Amino acid sequence: MNHSDIHKKIEIKAKIRDYDKIMAEVQAMCSSHGEIIQQEDVFFNSPNGRLKLRKRSDYSVYELVYYEKSYTEGPKLSLYSKCNIPHGEDLLNVLKMSLGVKGIVRKTRRLFLIEHSRIHIDDVEGLGKYFEIEVSLTKDQTPEEGEEVAKNTMAKLGIPPTDVVTGSYLDNLHESISDEV
């Protein structure tokens, strides 16, 4: 990706063992109860990176998101670009016909904002509850600085590194389906 509309963030995702404890800690840290959002992400077969069309519960605006990241352990650098789509159903049909659907992820997300970070408490259909932090990097901020913010936040919340998951929700859903067969 070589465009000026590319954004960078550091992400860490972890399985939640004690939902009530993590929720209370995040609410206290962010001084908020968070915004509850229903989301459906339709992923398409893409020759590069990942391409998804996100529908929110109000369905008034869809987001088309393209991103690239490595699926290694620990914090991940994600490069992404997104745009709002007013007639998402039309685009959804075009993308389905042209690229084919790779998978669908449905979740209830509780969104919290703190400084340059987004904290998500997600209940993912078919997978369970997860914590995710996304640290948006400024132009002069290094990925290592973003990683430090993410790791410190997880440490403050008492989330052990052993609970960190490597793959995306889509990857984990595909793995759970493979395990059942």
Side-chain angles (χ1 to χ4, degrees):
M1 292 196 288
N2 297 325
H3 300 86
S4 61
D5 60 344
I6 301 303
H7 306 281
K8 295 179 183 180
K9 64 184 174 184
I10 297 295
E11 299 178 14
I12 300 180
K13 188 176 298 177
K15 186 81 172 147
I16 293 178
R17 294 186 189 273
D18 187 341
Y19 177 81
D20 293 334
K21 177 182 177 284
I22 292 296
M23 183 61 76
E25 301 252 351
V26 170
Q27 288 175 336
M29 178 185 285
C30 298
S31 301
S32 163
H33 290 288
E35 176 187 0
I36 298 174
I37 305 166
Q38 299 292 327
Q39 294 179 335
E40 180 179 275
D41 293 341
V42 180
F43 288 83
F44 302 96
N45 297 308
S46 174
N48 303 304
R50 298 260 169 119
L51 181 67
K52 68 182 175 185
L53 187 63
R54 170 168 286 163
K55 296 193 286 186
R56 289 178 53 141
S57 53
D58 58 13
Y59 297 103
S60 60
V61 176
Y62 292 64
E63 276 185 320
L64 184 63
V65 182
Y66 173 80
Y67 64 94
E68 296 175 359
K69 66 181 165 186
S70 64
Y71 291 96
T72 56
E73 284 193 26
K76 298 159 194 49
L77 175 64
S78 177
L79 306 174
Y80 67 98
S81 184
K82 63 184 180 176
C83 64
N84 290 332
I85 307 294
H87 303 288
E89 285 296 329
D90 295 337
L91 180 60
L92 176 63
N93 291 329
V94 169
L95 290 171
K96 281 180 176 179
M97 288 187 292
S98 64
L99 298 174
V101 173
K102 185 172 187 167
I104 299 174
V105 175
R106 293 178 184 90
K107 63 185 168 287
T108 300
R109 168 166 283 173
R110 188 164 299 208
L111 168 66
F112 298 88
L113 303 173
I114 185 167
E115 296 177 15
H116 295 286
S117 301
R118 296 170 55 97
I119 294 176
H120 306 143
I121 304 294
D122 292 336
D123 188 355
V124 183
E125 190 177 292
L127 286 180
K129 293 178 175 54
Y130 288 82
F131 166 89
E132 181 179 54
I133 183 166
E134 297 178 346
V135 180
S136 296
L137 299 177
T138 61
K139 292 185 193 284
D140 54 343
Q141 193 174 23
T142 67
E144 292 76 21
E145 291 171 310
E147 287 178 21
E148 195 62 31
V149 170
K151 286 179 181 177
N152 287 340
T153 302
M154 288 190 54
K156 286 178 191 173
L157 294 170
I159 299 172
T162 53
D163 289 350
V164 172
V165 294
T166 303
S168 68
Y169 293 144
L170 181 65
D171 297 333
N172 288 310
L173 279 169
H174 283 164
E175 281 180 26
S176 70
I177 292 168
S178 298
D179 291 344
E180 292 172 7
V181 176

